[in-house]
Amino acid sequence: MNELNRLLARAECVLERFEATLPGLPAAPDWGVATAFRWRRRHGRAWLQAVARPHDIRLADLQDIDEQKRRIDDNTRQFLAGRRANNVLLTGARGTGKSSLVKALLSEYGERGLRLIEVDKSDLVDLPDIVELLDGRPERFILFCDDLSFEEGEAAYKALKSVLDGSVSAVPDNVLVYATSNRRHLMPEYHDENLKARHVDGEIHPGEATEEKISLSERFGLWVSFYPFSQDEYLAIVAYWLGQFGLKPKAIERARQEALQWALMRGSRSGRVAWQFARDYAGRLGE
């Protein structure tokens, strides 16, 4: 019996050491220190990391996307007021202000209780744990998934799909998901999938693979599309940022040709390219 007791005692010590290495439940952060957080996972541990200096951009800084701003702003104000609001999918051309628009909401409404939590695609499997931390809090949380896209069979795809509206457990009223993507259906689409479409009573019904891809994006109640800018829109954004950086109207007019050449070299007329040009031009003039 003494030998058996010693073996049991050793086994208990081993189990205690093993349990100490297992990841515990994530602890809630100090919600008062920041308005923006990032979900982090390192060495089996997960936590919400406060962002000391969130991206400081205003809704007024985002030019030539007035309709997109209106729709997302309306949805966010409904959410802050405790009324019904939708998860949002922002899709379209790169550099047109999708991510900046979400970040600008925090600048606009952080003092009214809005909080932004950025979650990388690789960490979307942790969404249920994140939502559990937020349940019952007085703040209103946007879970922000930037530049989202999936390949076939990714676990994160199912996790996001479940949190949006497919789980047995309901998502609390103080949580919404805002995601940006260059793909409207968040997954790659292939030519042969269109060949599997079938005709029923004169209507076209997509194949199962296409239906599966559409099913995730359809779980976002609000779709907002962004489009490439025209030359005039691009130049208007350049002029806005040059003005913000302190240039006078005549200097802004002289920058027009260089701004067009900059866009040509970059192969894009986007808001991001306009902002980058304005920073370069103003910097070279010493502004």
Side-chain angles (χ1 to χ4, degrees):
M1 290 295 293
N2 289 337
E3 184 66 24
L4 179 59
N5 288 336
R6 284 196 295 271
L7 287 172
L8 290 173
R10 291 177 61 187
E12 288 177 0
C13 289
V14 171
L15 286 174
E16 287 175 359
R17 292 176 183 173
F18 177 70
E19 288 176 353
T21 64
L22 295 176
L25 293 175
D30 182 351
W31 296 110
V33 301
T35 57
F37 299 83
R38 290 191 185 97
W39 181 255
R40 294 298 196 196
R41 176 169 288 282
R42 297 287 187 277
H43 309 298
R45 287 184 59 247
W47 71 98
L48 280 171
Q49 180 186 63
V51 177
R53 295 178 60 190
H55 191 177
D56 186 18
I57 188 168
R58 304 169 302 163
L59 287 175
D61 291 330
L62 302 175
Q63 303 292 302
D64 290 295
I65 52 169
D66 292 342
E67 177 60 19
Q68 293 91 333
K69 281 198 295 186
R70 183 194 64 77
R71 295 181 67 194
I72 292 175
D73 188 49
D74 286 350
N75 190 71
T76 305
R77 286 190 286 105
Q78 290 168 210
F79 178 53
L80 288 170
R83 305 199 303 271
R84 299 187 186 278
N86 278 304
N87 299 306
V88 182
L89 179 60
L90 301 85
T91 66
R94 67 185 189 278
T96 48
K98 302 185 295 297
S99 302
S100 295
L101 180 47
V102 178
K103 296 170 187 174
L105 294 171
L106 185 64
S107 299
E108 191 81 12
Y109 299 116
E111 294 183 357
R112 290 176 51 181
L114 185 67
R115 299 294 180 265
L116 191 67
I117 298 177
E118 187 172 10
V119 184
D120 290 339
K121 186 186 78 168
S122 59
D123 294 327
L124 287 177
V125 292
D126 295 329
L127 279 178
D129 291 333
I130 300 173
V131 169
E132 189 173 340
L133 283 175
L134 311 182
D135 195 4
R137 293 290 311 174
E139 302 88 355
R140 314 294 283 180
F141 296 93
I142 289 177
L143 302 182
F144 176 40
C145 307
D146 194 20
D147 198 17
L148 198 59
S149 65
F150 297 101
E151 300 301 329
E152 300 288 348
E154 285 193 56
Y157 171 86
K158 292 185 178 180
L160 178 59
K161 190 174 178 180
S162 176
V163 165
L164 287 172
D165 72 354
S167 172
V168 172
S169 176
V171 177
D173 292 337
N174 65 335
V175 178
L176 285 180
V177 176
Y178 283 22
T180 71
S181 178
N182 294 330
R183 296 172 175 170
R184 189 171 186 182
H185 292 147
L186 304 178
M187 295 182 72
E189 300 180 49
Y190 303 106
H191 173 71
D192 62 350
E193 292 172 350
N194 293 326
L195 301 178
K196 297 176 182 178
R198 62 192 189 280
H199 294 263
V200 178
D201 296 330
E203 295 183 346
I204 298 176
H205 292 258
E208 290 183 4
T210 303
E211 288 279 14
E212 174 66 16
K213 293 175 180 181
I214 294 173
S215 71
L216 177 60
S217 56
E218 281 189 340
R219 281 169 164 75
F220 290 90
L222 181 60
W223 290 4
V224 181
S225 298
F226 291 70
Y227 305 98
F229 292 120
S230 68
Q231 178 172 297
D232 288 343
E233 289 170 336
Y234 166 75
L235 290 172
I237 298 171
V238 168
Y240 172 82
W241 282 114
L242 288 175
Q244 292 294 304
F245 295 151
L247 272 71
K248 303 301 182 184
K250 287 185 178 179
I252 293 174
E253 181 62 28
R254 287 196 298 269
R256 177 186 176 93
Q257 192 59 40
E258 279 196 50
L260 294 175
Q261 291 172 351
W262 181 281
L264 186 62
M265 288 188 296
R266 298 295 298 271
S268 172
R269 288 195 301 256
S270 70
R272 181 186 297 135
V273 170
W275 179 77
Q276 290 168 343
F277 168 77
R279 283 177 61 87
D280 178 79
Y281 191 83
R284 285 188 279 119
L285 292 184
E287 298 294 340

